Amino acid sequence: QVQLQESGPGLVKPSETLSLTCSVSGGSINTYYCHWIRQPPGKGLEWIGYVYYIGSTNYNPSLQSRVTISLDTSKNQISLKLSSVTAADTAVYYCARSPSLYYAQIWGQGTMVTVSS
Amino acid sequence: QSVLTQPPSASGTPGQRVTISCSGSSSNIGSNTVNWYQQLPGTAPKLLLYTNNQRPSGVPDRFSGSKSGTSASLAISGLQSEDEADYYCAAWDDSLNGWMFGGGTKLTVL
């Protein structure tokens, strides 16, 4: 059974870079799309972007200048970096894997990141 | 503000049939398929329906979806207490070149 697990610092200072890792177990990321989605406390979902297993990426235009998504197929891991964070970036961050570009088939449990000094 | 519009809340009694709407535009629902996610309290979202009306393995056939033009809907028949959750629609948006989510609908089982 495929499982995804997000990990990283739970607290990031304003203006610094948020860095998260998504580890995939029980399956591969080869031939799959891996997405990052976030959810501010008490609010809805926002798509951040994706990386395809060959390394191509696509980002939400509202975040494009600050976000980088990459993968390490040898470790079966996907990473997210979001620079120059502010309080507005406080959210639960989810990674998701899918055979399709158009939907997220399997989600991680999410990790809460708070931006505060 | 979400590009896909959902009612903020919906409710029903056990056994009832409820529907949740999702309204978009020609750049998203009008030209791409719709997916639905269920988020139980305190948990991660789960794929409920994909490609308008396809159920992943394990999703009961009480859940169904439809799409017409620039709108879509999720129907839940035989409502159960465990269906109480937030429901999100989503679709690829050609202008954004990415996913758009609806604002979510909180379903209460009375």
Side-chain angles (χ1 to χ4, degrees), chain A residues 35 37 39 43-47 50 58-62 94 96 98 100-110, chain B residues 2 32-33 35 37 39 43-47 49-51 86 88 90-92 95-103:
Chain A
H35 297 260
I37 303 106
Q39 185 173 33
K43 296 188 177 180
L45 302 167
E46 180 183 32
W47 175 73
Y50 72 77
N58 189 29
Y59 304 131
N60 189 320
S62 69
Y94 297 100
S98 183
S100 170
L101 172 62
Y102 300 110
Y103 59 84
Q105 185 182 52
I106 301 173
W107 295 63
Q109 66 183 31
Chain B
S2 303
N32 296 291
T33 58
N35 311 296
Y37 299 92
Q39 186 173 31
T43 69
K46 163 193 160 185
L47 181 65
L49 296 172
Y50 65 99
T51 316
D86 293 325
Y88 294 90
W92 185 267
S95 299
L96 174 68
N97 197 29
W99 291 352
M100 294 300 308
F101 285 97

Side-chain angles (χ1 to χ4, degrees), chain A:
Chain A
Q1 178 172 338
V2 178
Q3 292 185 316
L4 286 74
Q5 178 70 57
E6 304 87 348
S7 61
L11 181 63
V12 181
K13 290 182 169 54
S15 80
E16 295 190 343
T17 296
L18 178 160
S19 295
L20 297 175
T21 298
C22 174
S23 299
V24 180
S25 60
S28 173
I29 57 176
N30 283 323
T31 74
Y32 287 92
Y33 293 87
C34 295
H35 297 260
W36 285 95
I37 303 106
R38 69 181 183 179
Q39 185 173 33
K43 296 188 177 180
L45 302 167
E46 180 183 32
W47 175 73
I48 298 171
Y50 72 77
V51 58
Y52 192 35
Y53 78 103
I54 56 174
S56 56
T57 55
N58 189 29
Y59 304 131
N60 189 320
S62 69
L63 300 170
Q64 186 161 12
S65 64
R66 301 193 291 129
V67 68
T68 302
I69 298 175
S70 59
L71 77 170
D72 186 333
T73 53
S74 65
K75 293 183 179 179
N76 237 20
Q77 290 180 336
I78 309 102
S79 67
L80 168 70
K81 293 187 186 301
L82 184 64
S83 64
S84 305
V85 297
T86 70
D89 295 310
T90 293
V92 176
Y93 285 76
Y94 297 100
C95 61
R97 189 195 81 163
S98 183
S100 170
L101 172 62
Y102 300 110
Y103 59 84
Q105 185 182 52
I106 301 173
W107 295 63
Q109 66 183 31
T111 187
M112 179 69 198
V113 179
T114 301
V115 178
S116 175
S117 55

